[in-house]
Amino acid sequence: MMSWVETAVDAFPKTLIITRWSPTAKYAGGEATRKLVGRLPREQVRWAYLDQPSDLAGGRWPDQHAFPVRQSHWRLRNTFLQFLHLHYVQTRRLARVIARWVVEFRPEVIWVASDMETISVALYLQRLLEVPLHVTVYDAFEGCRIFGMSKWFYPFYMRRSRELMGKVRSFDAVSKELVNHINQSCPARGTRETMVLPVSVGQDTVAALPALAPLSFEGKLRRVGFCGASRSSQEQWNTLLRLLEELPWAF
């Protein structure tokens, strides 16, 4: 597996990063992306995002530019026409503008944080630039239904997602479970070997952990760890709490 932390600057591929939200966005994926980008050789990176301009600039940060998604008319919000125009018309325009922005940079790889509109932008950009595509997946693609996507457009979106994963050279996700889910629902063409960044926890780190001795939990307090999101609905949280209450031990 390529170690991007130890790679020399002149050996690191010239990378175009595409994210949906600005570099200063307040969400878990945004924080993770900032930490990763902050350790990359800034001369070899350009960062394009589909959000309003950010004040994150200078220092260790690479050149970046905002390419805001145009808001739809309020009458079209969460309708089939809104998503159709966004993913098949507006994202095509955004890809052309981004391609012109990086024409002198000449990226050698596109790294995409797959999140709604970035999926379609990445597909068009890959055709325009004809360079390898690396994708980082933070949520299962089916999660788009949480954001109010039209049920009529949902099949189109899933088809775009499968098309994207069918064109990647490599991809990674935030967990092994998500990697396995993607391999089942959207089989990727690329290898499991990462081009731009390693999986969240490196294999050497896992191998260095001390082995856990068998434990008996009978009559003991068991600790349960989980990761949630602010986007989860109240109903989802209540369902999780009910499931925890049904466990045959204290926690």
Side-chain angles (χ1 to χ4, degrees), residues 142-166:
E142 294 87 346
C144 65
R145 289 176 292 187
I146 299 175
F147 311 118
M149 176 174 284
S150 165
K151 65 178 181 179
W152 303 110
F153 188 78
Y154 174 73
F156 291 88
Y157 180 79
M158 291 304 296
R159 187 171 65 185
R160 300 289 274 182
S161 302
R162 295 187 184 97
E163 184 181 355
L164 174 71
M165 299 310 296

PDB file of all heavy atoms in Angstrom, residues 142-166:
ATOM      1  N   GLU A 142     -26.974   4.667  -0.334  1.00  0.00           N
ATOM      2  CA  GLU A 142     -28.412   4.631  -0.047  1.00  0.00           C
ATOM      3  C   GLU A 142     -28.827   5.711   0.941  1.00  0.00           C
ATOM      4  O   GLU A 142     -30.007   6.046   1.053  1.00  0.00           O
ATOM      5  CB  GLU A 142     -28.805   3.262   0.515  1.00  0.00           C
ATOM      6  CG  GLU A 142     -28.666   2.117  -0.461  1.00  0.00           C
ATOM      7  CD  GLU A 142     -27.265   1.517  -0.476  1.00  0.00           C
ATOM      8  OE1 GLU A 142     -26.323   2.151   0.078  1.00  0.00           O
ATOM      9  OE2 GLU A 142     -27.090   0.428  -1.024  1.00  0.00           O
ATOM     10  N   GLY A 143     -27.838   6.274   1.655  1.00  0.00           N
ATOM     11  CA  GLY A 143     -28.148   7.312   2.638  1.00  0.00           C
ATOM     12  C   GLY A 143     -28.702   8.582   2.041  1.00  0.00           C
ATOM     13  O   GLY A 143     -29.199   9.441   2.770  1.00  0.00           O
ATOM     14  N   CYS A 144     -28.633   8.719   0.706  1.00  0.00           N
ATOM     15  CA  CYS A 144     -29.162   9.934   0.067  1.00  0.00           C
ATOM     16  C   CYS A 144     -30.640  10.124   0.352  1.00  0.00           C
ATOM     17  O   CYS A 144     -31.146  11.247   0.301  1.00  0.00           O
ATOM     18  CB  CYS A 144     -28.922   9.870  -1.435  1.00  0.00           C
ATOM     19  SG  CYS A 144     -29.825   8.551  -2.280  1.00  0.00           S
ATOM     20  N   ARG A 145     -31.340   9.030   0.672  1.00  0.00           N
ATOM     21  CA  ARG A 145     -32.783   9.158   0.934  1.00  0.00           C
ATOM     22  C   ARG A 145     -33.049   9.955   2.202  1.00  0.00           C
ATOM     23  O   ARG A 145     -34.140  10.509   2.378  1.00  0.00           O
ATOM     24  CB  ARG A 145     -33.393   7.760   1.050  1.00  0.00           C
ATOM     25  CG  ARG A 145     -33.465   7.022  -0.280  1.00  0.00           C
ATOM     26  CD  ARG A 145     -33.970   5.610  -0.138  1.00  0.00           C
ATOM     27  NE  ARG A 145     -33.036   4.763   0.575  1.00  0.00           N
ATOM     28  CZ  ARG A 145     -33.182   3.442   0.711  1.00  0.00           C
ATOM     29  NH1 ARG A 145     -34.231   2.847   0.181  1.00  0.00           N
ATOM     30  NH2 ARG A 145     -32.298   2.728   1.364  1.00  0.00           N
ATOM     31  N   ILE A 146     -32.047  10.032   3.095  1.00  0.00           N
ATOM     32  CA  ILE A 146     -32.226  10.800   4.330  1.00  0.00           C
ATOM     33  C   ILE A 146     -32.324  12.287   4.031  1.00  0.00           C
ATOM     34  O   ILE A 146     -32.964  13.049   4.762  1.00  0.00           O
ATOM     35  CB  ILE A 146     -31.052  10.526   5.292  1.00  0.00           C
ATOM     36  CG1 ILE A 146     -31.002   9.041   5.660  1.00  0.00           C
ATOM     37  CG2 ILE A 146     -31.151  11.377   6.551  1.00  0.00           C
ATOM     38  CD1 ILE A 146     -29.799   8.672   6.505  1.00  0.00           C
ATOM     39  N   PHE A 147     -31.706  12.738   2.942  1.00  0.00           N
ATOM     40  CA  PHE A 147     -31.619  14.164   2.644  1.00  0.00           C
ATOM     41  C   PHE A 147     -32.796  14.668   1.820  1.00  0.00           C
ATOM     42  O   PHE A 147     -32.727  15.749   1.246  1.00  0.00           O
ATOM     43  CB  PHE A 147     -30.311  14.464   1.908  1.00  0.00           C
ATOM     44  CG  PHE A 147     -29.108  13.869   2.576  1.00  0.00           C
ATOM     45  CD1 PHE A 147     -28.334  12.927   1.941  1.00  0.00           C
ATOM     46  CD2 PHE A 147     -28.784  14.247   3.859  1.00  0.00           C
ATOM     47  CE1 PHE A 147     -27.231  12.377   2.565  1.00  0.00           C
ATOM     48  CE2 PHE A 147     -27.683  13.697   4.506  1.00  0.00           C
ATOM     49  CZ  PHE A 147     -26.907  12.761   3.856  1.00  0.00           C
ATOM     50  N   GLY A 148     -33.844  13.895   1.738  1.00  0.00           N
ATOM     51  CA  GLY A 148     -35.031  14.354   1.034  1.00  0.00           C
ATOM     52  C   GLY A 148     -34.995  14.159  -0.464  1.00  0.00           C
ATOM     53  O   GLY A 148     -35.749  14.811  -1.190  1.00  0.00           O
ATOM     54  N   MET A 149     -34.119  13.288  -0.965  1.00  0.00           N
ATOM     55  CA  MET A 149     -34.071  13.056  -2.401  1.00  0.00           C
ATOM     56  C   MET A 149     -35.392  12.469  -2.900  1.00  0.00           C
ATOM     57  O   MET A 149     -35.983  11.602  -2.256  1.00  0.00           O
ATOM     58  CB  MET A 149     -32.926  12.099  -2.758  1.00  0.00           C
ATOM     59  CG  MET A 149     -32.869  11.723  -4.234  1.00  0.00           C
ATOM     60  SD  MET A 149     -31.423  10.754  -4.671  1.00  0.00           S
ATOM     61  CE  MET A 149     -30.171  12.043  -4.679  1.00  0.00           C
ATOM     62  N   SER A 150     -35.844  12.944  -4.044  1.00  0.00           N
ATOM     63  CA  SER A 150     -37.088  12.457  -4.635  1.00  0.00           C
ATOM     64  C   SER A 150     -37.014  10.953  -4.864  1.00  0.00           C
ATOM     65  O   SER A 150     -36.006  10.432  -5.360  1.00  0.00           O
ATOM     66  CB  SER A 150     -37.343  13.170  -5.965  1.00  0.00           C
ATOM     67  OG  SER A 150     -38.318  12.500  -6.719  1.00  0.00           O
ATOM     68  N   LYS A 151     -38.059  10.240  -4.473  1.00  0.00           N
ATOM     69  CA  LYS A 151     -38.066   8.780  -4.653  1.00  0.00           C
ATOM     70  C   LYS A 151     -38.034   8.417  -6.132  1.00  0.00           C
ATOM     71  O   LYS A 151     -37.590   7.319  -6.492  1.00  0.00           O
ATOM     72  CB  LYS A 151     -39.306   8.177  -4.002  1.00  0.00           C
ATOM     73  CG  LYS A 151     -40.624   8.581  -4.639  1.00  0.00           C
ATOM     74  CD  LYS A 151     -41.792   7.894  -3.953  1.00  0.00           C
ATOM     75  CE  LYS A 151     -43.124   8.274  -4.588  1.00  0.00           C
ATOM     76  NZ  LYS A 151     -44.259   7.577  -3.938  1.00  0.00           N
ATOM     77  N   TRP A 152     -38.447   9.344  -6.998  1.00  0.00           N
ATOM     78  CA  TRP A 152     -38.412   9.074  -8.440  1.00  0.00           C
ATOM     79  C   TRP A 152     -36.995   9.209  -8.990  1.00  0.00           C
ATOM     80  O   TRP A 152     -36.650   8.572  -9.982  1.00  0.00           O
ATOM     81  CB  TRP A 152     -39.352  10.032  -9.181  1.00  0.00           C
ATOM     82  CG  TRP A 152     -40.760   9.964  -8.691  1.00  0.00           C
ATOM     83  CD1 TRP A 152     -41.435  10.913  -7.979  1.00  0.00           C
ATOM     84  CD2 TRP A 152     -41.672   8.871  -8.853  1.00  0.00           C
ATOM     85  NE1 TRP A 152     -42.704  10.499  -7.688  1.00  0.00           N
ATOM     86  CE2 TRP A 152     -42.883   9.257  -8.214  1.00  0.00           C
ATOM     87  CE3 TRP A 152     -41.598   7.625  -9.465  1.00  0.00           C
ATOM     88  CZ2 TRP A 152     -43.993   8.416  -8.174  1.00  0.00           C
ATOM     89  CZ3 TRP A 152     -42.710   6.790  -9.422  1.00  0.00           C
ATOM     90  CH2 TRP A 152     -43.884   7.190  -8.795  1.00  0.00           C
ATOM     91  N   PHE A 153     -36.189  10.033  -8.325  1.00  0.00           N
ATOM     92  CA  PHE A 153     -34.818  10.198  -8.804  1.00  0.00           C
ATOM     93  C   PHE A 153     -33.860   9.206  -8.163  1.00  0.00           C
ATOM     94  O   PHE A 153     -32.758   8.983  -8.681  1.00  0.00           O
ATOM     95  CB  PHE A 153     -34.323  11.624  -8.523  1.00  0.00           C
ATOM     96  CG  PHE A 153     -32.988  11.928  -9.146  1.00  0.00           C
ATOM     97  CD1 PHE A 153     -32.898  12.210 -10.506  1.00  0.00           C
ATOM     98  CD2 PHE A 153     -31.825  11.907  -8.397  1.00  0.00           C
ATOM     99  CE1 PHE A 153     -31.667  12.464 -11.099  1.00  0.00           C
ATOM    100  CE2 PHE A 153     -30.594  12.166  -8.979  1.00  0.00           C
ATOM    101  CZ  PHE A 153     -30.519  12.441 -10.335  1.00  0.00           C
ATOM    102  N   TYR A 154     -34.254   8.600  -7.054  1.00  0.00           N
ATOM    103  CA  TYR A 154     -33.367   7.693  -6.329  1.00  0.00           C
ATOM    104  C   TYR A 154     -32.742   6.611  -7.221  1.00  0.00           C
ATOM    105  O   TYR A 154     -31.526   6.374  -7.138  1.00  0.00           O
ATOM    106  CB  TYR A 154     -34.137   7.051  -5.167  1.00  0.00           C
ATOM    107  CG  TYR A 154     -33.360   5.994  -4.434  1.00  0.00           C
ATOM    108  CD1 TYR A 154     -32.305   6.334  -3.589  1.00  0.00           C
ATOM    109  CD2 TYR A 154     -33.682   4.645  -4.588  1.00  0.00           C
ATOM    110  CE1 TYR A 154     -31.596   5.358  -2.917  1.00  0.00           C
ATOM    111  CE2 TYR A 154     -32.973   3.663  -3.921  1.00  0.00           C
ATOM    112  CZ  TYR A 154     -31.930   4.027  -3.086  1.00  0.00           C
ATOM    113  OH  TYR A 154     -31.223   3.047  -2.432  1.00  0.00           O
ATOM    114  N   PRO A 155     -33.496   5.939  -8.107  1.00  0.00           N
ATOM    115  CA  PRO A 155     -32.859   4.936  -8.982  1.00  0.00           C
ATOM    116  C   PRO A 155     -31.790   5.526  -9.894  1.00  0.00           C
ATOM    117  O   PRO A 155     -30.771   4.877 -10.162  1.00  0.00           O
ATOM    118  CB  PRO A 155     -34.036   4.377  -9.794  1.00  0.00           C
ATOM    119  CG  PRO A 155     -35.240   4.663  -8.972  1.00  0.00           C
ATOM    120  CD  PRO A 155     -34.952   5.960  -8.300  1.00  0.00           C
ATOM    121  N   PHE A 156     -31.995   6.765 -10.362  1.00  0.00           N
ATOM    122  CA  PHE A 156     -30.991   7.418 -11.208  1.00  0.00           C
ATOM    123  C   PHE A 156     -29.718   7.680 -10.406  1.00  0.00           C
ATOM    124  O   PHE A 156     -28.605   7.493 -10.903  1.00  0.00           O
ATOM    125  CB  PHE A 156     -31.540   8.737 -11.764  1.00  0.00           C
ATOM    126  CG  PHE A 156     -32.632   8.575 -12.773  1.00  0.00           C
ATOM    127  CD1 PHE A 156     -33.960   8.484 -12.385  1.00  0.00           C
ATOM    128  CD2 PHE A 156     -32.342   8.511 -14.128  1.00  0.00           C
ATOM    129  CE1 PHE A 156     -34.965   8.337 -13.311  1.00  0.00           C
ATOM    130  CE2 PHE A 156     -33.342   8.370 -15.069  1.00  0.00           C
ATOM    131  CZ  PHE A 156     -34.660   8.277 -14.657  1.00  0.00           C
ATOM    132  N   TYR A 157     -29.898   8.135  -9.168  1.00  0.00           N
ATOM    133  CA  TYR A 157     -28.742   8.428  -8.327  1.00  0.00           C
ATOM    134  C   TYR A 157     -27.936   7.167  -8.035  1.00  0.00           C
ATOM    135  O   TYR A 157     -26.698   7.182  -8.085  1.00  0.00           O
ATOM    136  CB  TYR A 157     -29.195   9.078  -7.022  1.00  0.00           C
ATOM    137  CG  TYR A 157     -28.058   9.424  -6.087  1.00  0.00           C
ATOM    138  CD1 TYR A 157     -27.286  10.561  -6.306  1.00  0.00           C
ATOM    139  CD2 TYR A 157     -27.754   8.608  -4.996  1.00  0.00           C
ATOM    140  CE1 TYR A 157     -26.238  10.889  -5.459  1.00  0.00           C
ATOM    141  CE2 TYR A 157     -26.707   8.926  -4.149  1.00  0.00           C
ATOM    142  CZ  TYR A 157     -25.955  10.062  -4.385  1.00  0.00           C
ATOM    143  OH  TYR A 157     -24.914  10.374  -3.545  1.00  0.00           O
ATOM    144  N   MET A 158     -28.621   6.072  -7.733  1.00  0.00           N
ATOM    145  CA  MET A 158     -27.919   4.822  -7.452  1.00  0.00           C
ATOM    146  C   MET A 158     -27.197   4.316  -8.704  1.00  0.00           C
ATOM    147  O   MET A 158     -26.105   3.744  -8.613  1.00  0.00           O
ATOM    148  CB  MET A 158     -28.912   3.784  -6.943  1.00  0.00           C
ATOM    149  CG  MET A 158     -29.474   4.094  -5.558  1.00  0.00           C
ATOM    150  SD  MET A 158     -28.172   4.311  -4.301  1.00  0.00           S
ATOM    151  CE  MET A 158     -27.444   2.672  -4.297  1.00  0.00           C
ATOM    152  N   ARG A 159     -27.790   4.549  -9.858  1.00  0.00           N
ATOM    153  CA  ARG A 159     -27.119   4.152 -11.100  1.00  0.00           C
ATOM    154  C   ARG A 159     -25.861   4.975 -11.315  1.00  0.00           C
ATOM    155  O   ARG A 159     -24.821   4.452 -11.744  1.00  0.00           O
ATOM    156  CB  ARG A 159     -28.067   4.315 -12.293  1.00  0.00           C
ATOM    157  CG  ARG A 159     -27.503   3.763 -13.600  1.00  0.00           C
ATOM    158  CD  ARG A 159     -28.548   3.745 -14.676  1.00  0.00           C
ATOM    159  NE  ARG A 159     -28.983   5.077 -15.052  1.00  0.00           N
ATOM    160  CZ  ARG A 159     -29.960   5.328 -15.905  1.00  0.00           C
ATOM    161  NH1 ARG A 159     -30.635   4.314 -16.455  1.00  0.00           N
ATOM    162  NH2 ARG A 159     -30.294   6.563 -16.201  1.00  0.00           N
ATOM    163  N   ARG A 160     -25.920   6.286 -10.984  1.00  0.00           N
ATOM    164  CA  ARG A 160     -24.734   7.136 -11.091  1.00  0.00           C
ATOM    165  C   ARG A 160     -23.649   6.669 -10.116  1.00  0.00           C
ATOM    166  O   ARG A 160     -22.457   6.668 -10.438  1.00  0.00           O
ATOM    167  CB  ARG A 160     -25.088   8.591 -10.791  1.00  0.00           C
ATOM    168  CG  ARG A 160     -26.114   9.202 -11.694  1.00  0.00           C
ATOM    169  CD  ARG A 160     -25.562   9.438 -13.077  1.00  0.00           C
ATOM    170  NE  ARG A 160     -24.880  10.719 -13.193  1.00  0.00           N
ATOM    171  CZ  ARG A 160     -24.357  11.164 -14.324  1.00  0.00           C
ATOM    172  NH1 ARG A 160     -24.396  10.404 -15.404  1.00  0.00           N
ATOM    173  NH2 ARG A 160     -23.775  12.343 -14.392  1.00  0.00           N
ATOM    174  N   SER A 161     -24.078   6.275  -8.925  1.00  0.00           N
ATOM    175  CA  SER A 161     -23.123   5.807  -7.924  1.00  0.00           C
ATOM    176  C   SER A 161     -22.411   4.550  -8.400  1.00  0.00           C
ATOM    177  O   SER A 161     -21.185   4.418  -8.266  1.00  0.00           O
ATOM    178  CB  SER A 161     -23.839   5.539  -6.596  1.00  0.00           C
ATOM    179  OG  SER A 161     -24.497   6.693  -6.124  1.00  0.00           O
ATOM    180  N   ARG A 162     -23.161   3.618  -8.973  1.00  0.00           N
ATOM    181  CA  ARG A 162     -22.555   2.388  -9.486  1.00  0.00           C
ATOM    182  C   ARG A 162     -21.651   2.690 -10.672  1.00  0.00           C
ATOM    183  O   ARG A 162     -20.600   2.061 -10.844  1.00  0.00           O
ATOM    184  CB  ARG A 162     -23.646   1.394  -9.885  1.00  0.00           C
ATOM    185  CG  ARG A 162     -24.494   0.903  -8.712  1.00  0.00           C
ATOM    186  CD  ARG A 162     -25.446  -0.209  -9.126  1.00  0.00           C
ATOM    187  NE  ARG A 162     -26.290  -0.591  -8.019  1.00  0.00           N
ATOM    188  CZ  ARG A 162     -27.531  -0.149  -7.819  1.00  0.00           C
ATOM    189  NH1 ARG A 162     -28.055   0.713  -8.699  1.00  0.00           N
ATOM    190  NH2 ARG A 162     -28.236  -0.532  -6.784  1.00  0.00           N
ATOM    191  N   GLU A 163     -22.055   3.661 -11.481  1.00  0.00           N
ATOM    192  CA  GLU A 163     -21.212   4.058 -12.613  1.00  0.00           C
ATOM    193  C   GLU A 163     -19.889   4.630 -12.110  1.00  0.00           C
ATOM    194  O   GLU A 163     -18.826   4.339 -12.674  1.00  0.00           O
ATOM    195  CB  GLU A 163     -21.946   5.085 -13.469  1.00  0.00           C
ATOM    196  CG  GLU A 163     -21.183   5.502 -14.727  1.00  0.00           C
ATOM    197  CD  GLU A 163     -21.920   6.543 -15.544  1.00  0.00           C
ATOM    198  OE1 GLU A 163     -23.079   6.875 -15.192  1.00  0.00           O
ATOM    199  OE2 GLU A 163     -21.337   7.048 -16.528  1.00  0.00           O
ATOM    200  N   LEU A 164     -19.950   5.460 -11.057  1.00  0.00           N
ATOM    201  CA  LEU A 164     -18.736   6.033 -10.494  1.00  0.00           C
ATOM    202  C   LEU A 164     -17.810   4.937  -9.980  1.00  0.00           C
ATOM    203  O   LEU A 164     -16.617   4.914 -10.302  1.00  0.00           O
ATOM    204  CB  LEU A 164     -19.095   6.987  -9.352  1.00  0.00           C
ATOM    205  CG  LEU A 164     -17.905   7.563  -8.574  1.00  0.00           C
ATOM    206  CD1 LEU A 164     -17.148   8.566  -9.425  1.00  0.00           C
ATOM    207  CD2 LEU A 164     -18.375   8.216  -7.272  1.00  0.00           C
ATOM    208  N   MET A 165     -18.344   4.010  -9.192  1.00  0.00           N
ATOM    209  CA  MET A 165     -17.507   2.964  -8.616  1.00  0.00           C
ATOM    210  C   MET A 165     -16.978   2.017  -9.690  1.00  0.00           C
ATOM    211  O   MET A 165     -15.962   1.350  -9.494  1.00  0.00           O
ATOM    212  CB  MET A 165     -18.287   2.186  -7.560  1.00  0.00           C
ATOM    213  CG  MET A 165     -18.754   3.032  -6.384  1.00  0.00           C
ATOM    214  SD  MET A 165     -17.442   4.053  -5.643  1.00  0.00           S
ATOM    215  CE  MET A 165     -16.334   2.789  -5.041  1.00  0.00           C
ATOM    216  N   GLY A 166     -17.654   1.966 -10.817  1.00  0.00           N
ATOM    217  CA  GLY A 166     -17.168   1.138 -11.912  1.00  0.00           C
ATOM    218  C   GLY A 166     -16.015   1.765 -12.672  1.00  0.00           C
ATOM    219  O   GLY A 166     -15.370   1.089 -13.486  1.00  0.00           O
TER     220      GLY A 166
END
